[in-house]
């Protein structure tokens, strides 16, 4: 493997800065940060507190009833899994489904028919460059909420009793995507209109202009592969993305963290210089100010971290005698990813962020704290709605919808799937007898983390969730929890331990 000496030298050259960035925050600073987050997000009835050997925990500041919402937490960074992008078209910022039921179904069938895979660069170009009219989100202007064209093409496409996929004619699929065909009752499931990335990448889409602008300002302007990208080298950026898609998309999350930290630093520096000018202070330093970088890094500094290659659990198919080699492979994989990212978005004034130690600890933070990002599919809701219609309406509607359902096959209900880091949720400690759980309600249509009380929670009581299936035997639970770097000592485990 070729080693970029400039990447390796950053750790040595900026050892003090890297140490400062990774130094755990003072308890008072940590408390102040989370108090501000809770206040800013108007989270009711919760508080983050220090929790001895567990570091920190989330506590109830009010009484919660069983089934009551405890926390709705907005992610700090998140991504949709690469393969899932074929099945689900969602906002790249809030992960809400976008477009229309017709677009969601038609686009998926179109890409499946082409055999597109986002893990292959040539297929990725096809994935990005679907014809313009196939991405229109407007529906028919007519009052009749039914299929308006090409109805005859559907009659013999599929068997209603089959579980297999039955391809539809290409012209039917394209008509569904471009809005010429309207499915019965689809207006009952209206979705936000599709907004394209202003940078022209063809990869990021949004549910609103506000989401598009927020994502651009937060991190996407450096990670966009379009003509208006502010990256150093779009070719290098494409190589970084391809490497992440081929190996581990957790690298894409790490890139978002570094990108957002760089952009926060630049904003802080502009504000700092403006204030210095107002005070007429001469000789403003041009070099990187570590205090500004530490401030920009603050949201990340609050997360529990370990080096990725040290905290990943040893796979079952790797012998313990090969553990050192396995961990070295992970380290080399991270180094290769960092080299590609550095070539794409390197910032001289934020150079310490490109140390391997920082990169490894960012990825390790995700490994230890990430929560699955899940958003239910409106396509599933749509077909369930059709199935629940009274008999005459259902029979008439299914003449149109059944061929599409059969073409999608058993996987028609695939939800948006990804991974994300949530600042408040990441403070919640584990228990095998938890009093809360992550659970999406029917009204939760985006990627926010939702925590619901499993039982009454009294004011002052710690809120806990289970990181594993709490119904598993004691030994299996402990083995799975070892991946998180601790031994569970909850009442259930203490009672079952022999």
């Amino acid at each position: 493997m070729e080693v970029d000496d400039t990447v390796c030298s950053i750790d040595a050259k900026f050892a003090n800065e890297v140490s400062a960035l990774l130094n755990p925050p003072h308890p008072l600073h940590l408390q102040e940060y989370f108090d501000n987050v809770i206040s800013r997000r108007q989270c009711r009835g919760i508080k983050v507190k220090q929790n001895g050997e567990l570091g920190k925990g989330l506590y109830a500041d009010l009484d919660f009833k069983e089934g009551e919402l405890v926390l709705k937490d907005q992610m700090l960074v998140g991504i949709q899994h690469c393969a899932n992008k074929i099945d689900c078209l969602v906002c790249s910022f809030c992960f809400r489904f976008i477009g229309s039921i017709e677009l969601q179904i038609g686009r998926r069938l179109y890409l499946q028919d082409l055999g597109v895979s986002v893990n292959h660069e040539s297929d990725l170009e096809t994935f990005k460059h679907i014809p313009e009219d196939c991405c229109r989100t407007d529906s028919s202007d007519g009052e009749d909420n039914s299929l308006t064209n090409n109805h005859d093409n559907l009659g013999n496409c599929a068997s209603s009793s089959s579980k297999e996929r039955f391809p539809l004619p290409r012209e039917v699929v394209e008509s569904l995507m471009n809005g010429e065909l309207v499915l019965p009752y689809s207006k009952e499931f209206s979705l936000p209109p599709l907004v394209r990335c202003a940078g022209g990448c063809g990869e990021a889409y949004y549910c609103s202009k506000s989401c598009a602008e927020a994502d651009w300002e937060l991190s996407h302007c450096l990670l966009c592969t379009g003509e208006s990208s502010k990256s150093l080298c779009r070719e290098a950026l494409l190589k970084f993305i391809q490497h992440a898609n081929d190996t581990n998309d957790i690298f894409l999350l790490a890139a978002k963290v570094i990108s957002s930290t760089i952009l926060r630093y630049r904003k802080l520096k502009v504000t700092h210089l403006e204030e210095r000018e107002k005070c007429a202070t001469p000789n403003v330093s041009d070099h990187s100010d570590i205090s500004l970088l530490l401030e920009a890094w603050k949201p990340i500094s609050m997360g529990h971290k370990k080096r990725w290659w040290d905290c990943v659990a040893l796979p079952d198919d790797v012998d313990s005698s090969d553990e050192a080699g396995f961990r070295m492979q992970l380290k080399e994989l991270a180094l290769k990813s960092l080299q590609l990212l550095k070539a794409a978005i390197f910032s001289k004034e934020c150079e310490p962020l490109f140390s391997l130690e920082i990169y490894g600890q960012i990825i390790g933070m995700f490994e230890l704290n990430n929560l699955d990002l899940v958003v239910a599919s409106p396509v599933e809701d749509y077909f369930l709605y059709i199935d629940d219609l009274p008999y005459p309406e259902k029979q008439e509607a299914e003449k149109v919808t059944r061929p599409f359902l059969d073409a999608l096959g058993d996987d028609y209900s695939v939800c948006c799937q990804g991974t994300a880091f949530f600042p408040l949720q990441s403070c919640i400690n584990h228990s095998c007898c938890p009093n809360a759980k992550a659970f999406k309600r029917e009204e939760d249509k985006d990627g926010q983390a939702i925590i619901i009380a499993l039982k009454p929670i009294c004011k002052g009581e710690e809120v806990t969730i289970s990181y594993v299936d709490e119904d598993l035997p004691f030994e299996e639970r402990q083995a799975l929890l070892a991946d998180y770097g601790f031994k569970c000592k909850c009442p259930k485990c203490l009672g079952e331990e022999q």
Side-chain angles (χ1 to χ4, degrees):
M1 166 182 169
E2 294 183 8
V3 176
D4 184 342
D5 291 335
T6 61
V7 168
C8 296
S9 66
I10 290 174
D11 287 271
K13 181 179 178 182
F14 295 96
N16 291 336
E17 289 84 352
V18 169
S19 177
L21 288 167
L22 294 177
N23 191 36
H26 188 279
L28 290 178
H29 295 160
L30 185 144
Q31 190 69 60
E32 180 184 15
Y33 173 80
F34 282 108
D35 285 349
N36 287 336
V37 170
I38 290 170
S39 174
R40 190 168 63 249
R41 298 184 178 184
Q42 299 181 328
C43 297
R44 169 184 164 273
I46 57 170
K47 191 172 184 66
V48 174
K49 296 182 186 178
Q50 297 297 306
N51 187 348
E53 64 181 57
L54 298 179
K56 56 184 179 289
L58 189 76
Y59 289 79
D61 210 28
L62 294 173
D63 292 338
F64 289 98
K65 299 177 182 178
E66 180 180 346
E68 191 174 356
L69 174 68
V70 175
L71 171 65
K72 191 171 185 177
D73 195 13
Q74 183 178 343
M75 69 186 69
L76 186 64
V77 288
I79 57 166
Q80 182 184 10
H81 289 317
C82 303
N84 186 249
K85 291 181 179 181
I86 292 176
D87 298 324
C88 304
L89 181 62
V90 299
C91 175
S92 296
F93 186 69
C94 73
F95 300 92
R96 182 186 298 268
F97 278 79
I98 54 178
S100 65
I101 292 295
E102 288 83 359
L103 178 59
Q104 291 288 339
I105 296 173
R107 175 180 172 275
R108 181 175 171 187
L109 293 175
Y110 181 87
L111 293 173
Q112 285 178 353
D113 185 50
L114 293 177
V116 170
S117 168
V118 293
N119 288 328
H120 293 86
E121 191 167 358
S122 60
D123 286 353
L124 187 58
E125 291 305 305
T126 303
F127 176 76
K128 289 163 54 179
H129 295 105
I130 297 174
E132 184 76 21
D133 60 352
C134 293
C135 293
R136 280 167 40 199
T137 58
D138 53 307
S139 298
S140 170
D141 294 329
E143 292 297 320
D144 181 21
N145 194 20
S146 62
L147 197 64
T148 56
N149 291 309
N150 291 334
H151 196 146
D152 293 340
N153 288 337
L154 298 174
N156 299 314
C157 289
S159 164
S160 61
S161 62
S162 174
K163 295 289 185 180
E164 299 178 11
R165 287 179 180 168
F166 288 81
L168 291 168
R170 174 69 67 84
E171 62 270 18
V172 172
V173 173
E174 292 185 355
S175 295
L176 191 66
M177 278 198 299
N178 66 28
E180 294 175 9
L181 303 184
V182 181
L183 296 175
Y185 301 99
S186 65
K187 289 183 180 178
E188 300 293 327
F189 298 86
S190 61
L191 301 176
L194 182 152
V195 176
R196 294 177 178 275
C197 167
C201 64
E203 296 172 10
Y205 298 91
Y206 301 94
C207 67
S208 65
K209 185 178 180 182
S210 61
C211 271
E213 291 174 348
D215 196 34
W216 183 262
E217 294 178 5
L218 183 65
S219 66
H220 189 62
C221 66
L222 289 180
L223 301 175
C224 178
T225 58
E227 293 290 337
S228 300
S229 173
K230 295 184 180 180
S231 63
L232 287 178
C233 177
R234 287 194 294 149
E235 182 179 354
L237 184 57
L238 285 167
K239 288 181 180 179
F240 166 78
I241 294 171
Q242 189 63 48
H243 177 264
N245 288 343
D246 289 341
T247 55
N248 194 327
D249 58 11
I250 203 169
F251 296 139
L252 300 175
L253 273 178
K256 282 193 170 187
V257 164
I258 292 177
S259 175
S260 62
T261 305
I262 291 171
L263 294 171
R264 274 196 298 270
Y265 170 85
R266 291 175 180 173
K267 288 182 180 179
L268 288 169
K269 187 171 183 179
V270 167
T271 301
H272 174 71
L273 292 176
E274 289 175 348
E275 290 175 351
R276 295 288 293 269
E277 288 175 0
K278 288 178 182 178
C279 297
T281 304
N283 302 321
V284 175
S285 175
D286 290 331
H287 62 74
S288 173
D289 186 341
I290 185 60
S291 65
L292 293 180
L293 187 56
L294 286 170
E295 182 65 24
W297 174 257
K298 184 183 288 186
I300 309 303
S301 71
M302 301 297 162
H304 175 59
K305 300 179 192 68
K306 287 184 179 180
R307 294 188 190 99
W308 179 54
W309 45 86
D310 290 337
C311 69
V312 171
L314 193 68
D316 293 337
D317 58 350
V318 177
D319 191 87
S320 58
S321 62
D322 298 325
E323 181 172 355
F326 167 74
R327 300 201 180 282
M328 181 54 68
Q329 287 179 349
L330 291 182
K331 186 175 182 180
E332 291 175 350
L333 190 64
L335 176 58
K336 176 63 177 177
S337 174
L338 180 58
Q339 291 170 351
L340 294 171
L341 182 63
K342 179 175 178 289
I345 67 167
F346 178 70
S347 171
K348 184 67 177 176
E349 55 190 359
C350 297
E351 194 167 359
L353 295 179
F354 293 87
S355 82
L356 183 58
E357 183 69 19
I358 291 288
Y359 199 60
Q361 296 255 0
I362 292 172
I363 304 168
M365 181 183 74
F366 295 143
E367 189 75 29
L368 295 170
N369 296 283
N370 271 14
L371 185 70
D372 288 341
L373 191 164
V374 177
V375 183
S377 169
V379 174
E380 178 182 21
D381 293 339
Y382 171 73
F383 283 117
L384 291 175
Y385 178 90
I386 296 298
D387 191 54
D388 286 340
L389 287 171
Y391 178 70
E393 290 88 347
K394 175 181 176 180
Q395 183 181 41
E396 192 64 26
E398 284 191 334
K399 290 179 182 178
V400 176
T401 62
R402 176 57 67 173
F404 292 104
L405 179 59
D406 288 343
L408 290 170
D410 291 342
D411 295 331
Y412 75 95
S413 60
V414 172
C415 58
C416 170
Q417 298 172 350
T419 187
F421 178 80
F422 300 88
L424 294 174
Q425 176 275 328
S426 68
C427 297
I428 303 178
N429 289 311
H430 163 83
S431 173
C432 295
C433 45
N435 56 19
K437 66 175 180 178
F439 179 77
K440 284 296 183 74
R441 304 161 300 173
E442 187 174 344
E443 64 263 35
D444 299 316
K445 304 296 186 183
D446 59 19
Q448 295 185 83
I450 306 296
I451 305 296
I452 303 293
L454 281 172
K455 59 184 77 170
I457 303 175
C458 297
K459 181 178 179 179
E461 184 179 352
E462 183 176 9
V463 177
T464 59
I465 59 175
S466 181
Y467 297 176
V468 299
D469 183 352
E470 61 266 33
D471 293 327
L472 290 172
F474 170 78
E475 292 79 8
E476 291 185 38
R477 296 199 312 273
Q478 290 292 340
L480 290 171
L481 291 168
D483 296 352
Y484 294 91
F486 68 88
K487 181 178 180 180
C488 183
K489 297 179 182 179
C490 73
K492 183 176 181 177
C493 285
L494 292 176
E496 294 177 3
E497 190 172 14
Q498 296 180 356

